[in-house]
């Protein structure tokens, strides 16, 4: 399998806190990789290093290599903005732009960059919304505020907004943790479909979710990558005792 | 434990004290208002808005040039002060974590505390002396110097209240930080920013001291930025200290108009401030 994103001995420090410790991991193209682990173990930190979201945190320091298609995203001369266009991100809490309509939220990436070409807007909006199975629910009220949608719809809108700018990789940081079970199920089905076009890395604290949606699973503990491999293997015959304890819920 | 009646008594006594304190504060304010309205209304006429002051000794005339002058000074001060204040605040919240940002914040706070007559002297030294003459431009700069720290700090406060998740959402879409600041963060804080701007305008609308040796005042019409210009507060001041009954009347009318303008600006700021913000 060809590797889309590759972490090579990656470390993240916040000041003196060593949040991610020497992680090496491979994310194959067009697959879903789940990152699981107890809260505070560094999952979000690892994820946010990949699209350089830590650039805004003055205390954050990322070392090691993060390769996207073989190119180090932290190499000198690489524009973080260009990286973020290729690596989209969906956040824990749905965060549509409150002042924008549903329609404008979908094309926000273009609008904010003044790069929207006349005539192609409607097509982008419809395709993106269809792809997240939101089109039928909102097609009659595209002009109304995104804040009128339910939490689950807002999150699908955020995914639509992310895929509208045609990324190659989508990072999802506990995208369902603020949603009810039915909305969660919809997002999970969506992830399943999206992997045909995108490489997906999803952080979750919900192990059933990891088991349901992912092809590969990586278990992190206290900043370290304890074990990673095919999801089935991790959940049935883990090699490490810590992994087994965590997935069987025997964790302190 | 103290008895119930005692607590009731204490409660009433303290309430009474608070009511008295409130009245003490409100009474002078009400008296000033009532007096200005009474004196102003009896002197206010259409001429006030259309005529310029008559030469000494003649009766009638108005403060049309002062109204226009104040309008122009405020407009020019806003043209200078608004972008500096707002963009400075964007810089502080989005890009400034370092020493420069602290220095800017400190300077803004000091500048906000400087007596306005000193601000006028600064504008005098910066503009009037090199240009060899009093001018509307100098007055505008003096007023802008008063506006900038007010707008800077209120805008910064408002920007800080915008949820960081919006910034992240925009950045994650591949929008550069500067565009994110201007097109996501600033619009989200717009209402509060406008409130701050209105308050800053209200503040400079009544300023007299910084105009004394910058805009200077003018008995006649002037539309040029390079010449001395009339301003409402200046006219009120010079007419009020003049020994003519007629001029005193005009000063009262001017005071009423000025108070009404301030009231409208403050009301506008309140209305803007009360509207729902993003939560
Ligand atoms: N911006 C930050 N500044 C300082 N420390 C941080 C920051 N973000 C995360 N951390 C620290 O890094 C560690 C990992 O956090 P995080 O990646 O959010 O965990 P998880 O997502 O697995 O719950 C925690 O100890 C946390 O306190
Ligand atoms: Mg997290």
């Amino acid at each position: 399998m060809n590797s889309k994103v590759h972490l090579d001995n990656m470390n993240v420090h916040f000041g003196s806190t060593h949040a991610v410790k020497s992680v090496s991991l491979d994310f194959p193209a067009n697959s879903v990789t789940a990152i699981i682990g107890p809260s505070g173990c560094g999952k979000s930190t690892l994820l946010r290093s990949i699209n350089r979201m830590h650039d805004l945190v003055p205390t954050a320091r990322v070392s090691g290599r993060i390769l996207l298609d073989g190119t180090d995203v932290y190499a000198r001369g690489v524009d973080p903005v260009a990286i973020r266009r290729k690596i989209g991100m969906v956040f824990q809490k749905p965060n549509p732009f409150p002042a924008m309509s549903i329609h404008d939220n979908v094309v926000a990436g273009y609008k904010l960059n003044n790069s929207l070409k006349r005539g192609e807007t409607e097509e982008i909006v419809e395709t993106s919304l269809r792809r997240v199975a939101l089109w039928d629910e909102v097609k009659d009220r595209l002009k109304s505020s995104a804040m009128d949608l339910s939490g689950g719809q807002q999150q699908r809108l955020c995914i639509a907004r992310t895929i509208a700018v045609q990324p190659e990789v989508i990072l999802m940081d506990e995208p369902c943790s603020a949603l009810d079970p039915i909305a969660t199920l919809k997002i999970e089905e969506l992830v399943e479909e999206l992997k045909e076009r995108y490489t997906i890395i999803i952080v979750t604290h919900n192990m059933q979710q990891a088991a349901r949606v992912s092809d590969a699973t990586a278990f992190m503990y206290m900043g370290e990558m304890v074990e990673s491999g095919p999801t089935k293997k991790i959940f049935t015959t883990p090699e490490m005792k810590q992994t087994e304890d965590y997935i069987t819920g025997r964790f302190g | 434990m103290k008895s119930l009646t005692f607590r009731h008594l204490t409660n009433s006594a303290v309430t009474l004290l608070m009511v008295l304190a409130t009245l003490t504060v409100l009474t002078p304010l009400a008296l000033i208002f009532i007096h200005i309205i009474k004196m102003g209304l009896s002197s206010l006429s259409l001429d006030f808005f259309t005529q310029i002051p008559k030469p000494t000794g003649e009766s009638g005339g108005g403060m049309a040039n002062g109204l226009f002058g104040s309008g122009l000074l405020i407009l020019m001060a806003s043209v200078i002060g608004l972008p500096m204040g707002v963009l400075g605040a964007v810089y502080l919240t989005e890009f400034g974590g370092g020493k420069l940002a602290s220095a800017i914040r400190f300077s803004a706070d000091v500048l906000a505390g400087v007596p306005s007559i000193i601000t006028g002297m600064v504008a005098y030294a910066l503009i009037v002396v090199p240009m060899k003459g009093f001018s509307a431009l100098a007055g505008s700069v003096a007023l802008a110097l008063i506006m900038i720290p007010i707008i800077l700090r209120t805008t910064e406060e408002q920007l800080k209240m915008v949820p960081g998740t919006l910034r992240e959402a925009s950045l994650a879409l591949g929008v550069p930080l500067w565009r994110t600041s201007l097109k996501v963060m600033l619009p989200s804080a717009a209402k509060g920013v406008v409130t701050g701007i209105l308050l800053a305008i209200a503040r400079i609308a009544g300023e007299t001291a910084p105009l004394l040796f910058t805009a200077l005042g003018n008995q006649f019409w002037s539309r040029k930025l390079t010449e001395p210009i009339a301003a409402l507060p200046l006219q009120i001041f010079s007419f009020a200290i003049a020994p003519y009954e007629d001029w005193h009347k005009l000063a009262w009318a001017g005071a009423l108009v000025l108070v009404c303008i301030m009231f409208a600006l403050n009301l506008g700021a309140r209305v803007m401030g009360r509207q729902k913000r993003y939560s």
Side-chain angles (χ1 to χ4, degrees):
Chain A
M1 250 191 294
N2 65 332
S3 144
K4 184 73 188 173
V5 177
H6 184 80
L7 310 182
D8 183 14
N9 194 17
M10 185 189 86
N11 288 275
V12 184
H13 295 260
F14 293 107
S16 57
T17 314
H18 197 174
V20 173
K21 301 172 186 162
S22 309
V23 170
S24 296
L25 193 61
D26 201 50
F27 301 96
N30 300 97
S31 70
V32 180
T33 306
I35 300 175
I36 60 171
S39 130
C41 71
K43 307 181 294 294
S44 299
T45 304
L46 181 138
L47 200 69
R48 296 161 70 87
S49 309
I50 300 174
N51 66 340
R52 293 189 60 168
M53 289 301 268
H54 293 314
D55 284 20
L56 289 185
V57 183
T59 55
R61 207 175 72 246
V62 180
S63 61
R65 291 196 309 161
I66 300 177
L67 306 178
L68 172 69
D69 289 326
T71 322
D72 192 345
V73 302
Y74 283 87
R76 195 172 296 179
V78 172
D79 181 7
V81 173
I83 292 299
R84 292 187 200 121
R85 273 182 209 153
K86 288 189 188 168
I87 308 180
M89 186 162 205
V90 177
F91 299 84
Q92 195 163 349
K93 200 167 157 269
N95 56 357
F97 296 111
M100 291 187 193
S101 64
I102 295 170
H103 174 280
D104 287 359
N105 259 284
V106 178
V107 285
Y110 296 87
K111 270 194 122 90
L112 294 172
N113 272 328
N114 281 347
S115 62
L116 204 55
K117 288 192 191 71
R118 222 170 249 284
E120 61 178 21
T121 319
E122 305 318 316
E123 202 192 316
I124 296 174
V125 171
E126 186 173 341
T127 334
S128 310
L129 286 174
R130 277 193 193 283
R131 218 166 268 169
V132 298
L134 195 57
W135 176 252
D136 290 327
E137 290 163 55
V138 301
K139 64 170 186 258
D140 299 323
R141 47 172 174 153
L142 289 173
K143 293 280 167 241
S144 60
S145 167
M147 302 317 276
D148 295 342
L149 300 175
S150 73
Q153 289 173 322
Q154 287 186 16
Q155 193 63 304
R156 276 183 284 152
L157 180 64
C158 291
I159 298 175
R161 170 178 78 183
T162 303
I163 60 179
V165 293
Q166 302 181 324
E168 295 164 18
V169 179
I170 301 179
L171 310 175
M172 297 183 158
D173 192 352
E174 306 197 22
C176 303
S177 65
L179 307 183
D180 62 64
I182 295 175
T184 300
L185 200 67
K186 283 196 176 148
I187 303 270
E188 287 180 8
E189 287 169 0
L190 192 58
V191 169
E192 194 68 37
E193 284 168 31
L194 289 176
K195 79 173 180 188
E196 279 179 27
R197 292 165 186 274
Y198 313 97
T199 303
I200 296 177
I201 306 174
I202 182 169
V203 164
T204 175
H205 60 238
N206 177 337
M207 277 169 292
Q208 287 77 19
Q209 182 167 70
R212 279 193 299 260
V213 302
S214 69
D215 303 302
T217 296
F219 171 61
M220 282 182 78
Y221 183 60
M222 308 239 310
E224 289 180 41
M225 183 61 61
V226 176
E227 185 173 354
S228 64
T231 299
K232 217 183 230 148
K233 178 169 179 297
I234 298 284
F235 279 91
T236 51
T237 52
E239 271 164 27
M240 308 294 287
K241 176 91 171 49
Q242 279 172 321
T243 317
E244 190 179 335
D245 286 351
Y246 183 71
I247 58 174
T248 51
R250 251 182 292 150
F251 220 75
Chain B
M1 219 174 100
K2 289 177 180 136
S3 76
L4 203 57
T5 14
F6 180 78
R7 276 199 252 164
H8 276 302
L9 271 177
T10 328
N11 185 33
S12 315
V14 173
T15 312
L16 186 69
L17 269 176
M18 287 193 290
V19 171
L20 279 178
T22 314
L23 283 180
T24 321
V25 174
L26 285 183
T27 312
L29 188 69
L31 286 178
I32 292 171
F33 266 115
I34 292 167
H35 196 60
I36 288 182
I37 291 171
K38 207 172 75 195
M39 300 301 285
L41 273 184
S42 64
S43 328
L44 202 58
S45 66
L46 192 62
D47 278 357
F48 178 86
F49 298 99
T50 56
Q51 305 279 311
I52 67 169
K54 286 268 160 57
T56 325
E58 282 181 46
S59 65
M63 292 187 172
N65 58 343
L67 280 171
F68 172 80
S70 274
L72 186 71
L73 286 169
I74 290 172
L75 182 75
M76 286 305 298
S78 305
V79 166
I80 303 167
L82 252 170
M84 290 180 79
V86 171
L87 294 178
V90 169
Y91 170 78
L92 288 185
T93 29
E94 304 288 332
F95 302 89
K99 287 215 174 71
L100 179 62
S102 318
I104 293 174
R105 275 191 202 99
F106 182 71
S107 319
D109 288 345
V110 172
L111 195 57
V114 167
S116 56
I117 187 115
I118 309 286
T119 314
M121 286 165 66
V122 171
Y124 178 85
L126 283 179
I127 315 275
V128 176
V129 172
M131 285 181 56
K132 299 194 173 60
F134 300 102
S135 64
L137 180 68
S140 308
V141 169
L143 294 183
L145 285 175
I146 297 172
M147 272 183 114
I148 290 169
I150 303 176
I151 295 182
L152 188 84
R153 291 321 291 262
T154 52
T155 305
E156 190 190 2
E157 288 309 311
Q158 295 301 322
L159 280 173
K160 272 198 214 141
M161 281 165 56
V162 179
T165 53
L166 289 185
R167 184 187 299 113
E168 293 190 335
S170 175
L171 290 175
L173 287 171
V175 180
L177 183 58
W178 68 271
R179 270 190 203 276
T180 300
S181 318
L182 294 182
K183 296 177 87 168
V184 175
M185 304 309 275
L186 200 53
S188 302
K191 280 185 187 127
V193 173
V194 172
T195 303
I197 291 170
L198 286 178
L199 288 176
I201 291 177
R203 165 79 198 280
I204 61 163
E207 283 290 350
T208 318
L211 299 178
L212 285 173
F213 29 77
T214 52
L216 190 69
N218 196 328
Q219 287 288 94
F220 307 102
W221 277 107
S222 164
R223 292 184 179 78
K224 289 204 185 118
L225 285 179
T226 50
E227 282 176 6
I229 197 167
L232 196 53
L234 282 177
Q235 260 172 350
I236 296 171
F237 174 65
S238 54
F239 279 46
I241 58 172
Y244 311 108
E245 191 59 31
D246 249 26
W247 282 22
H248 290 172
K249 283 187 148 195
L250 271 181
W252 279 115
L256 177 62
V257 171
L258 188 59
V259 166
C260 287
I261 292 172
M262 308 276 275
F263 185 72
L265 284 168
N266 277 289
L267 198 69
R270 286 301 288 263
V271 172
M272 288 301 287
R274 207 182 306 143
Q275 278 170 11
K276 194 172 147 277
R277 288 211 192 88
Y278 172 68
S279 54

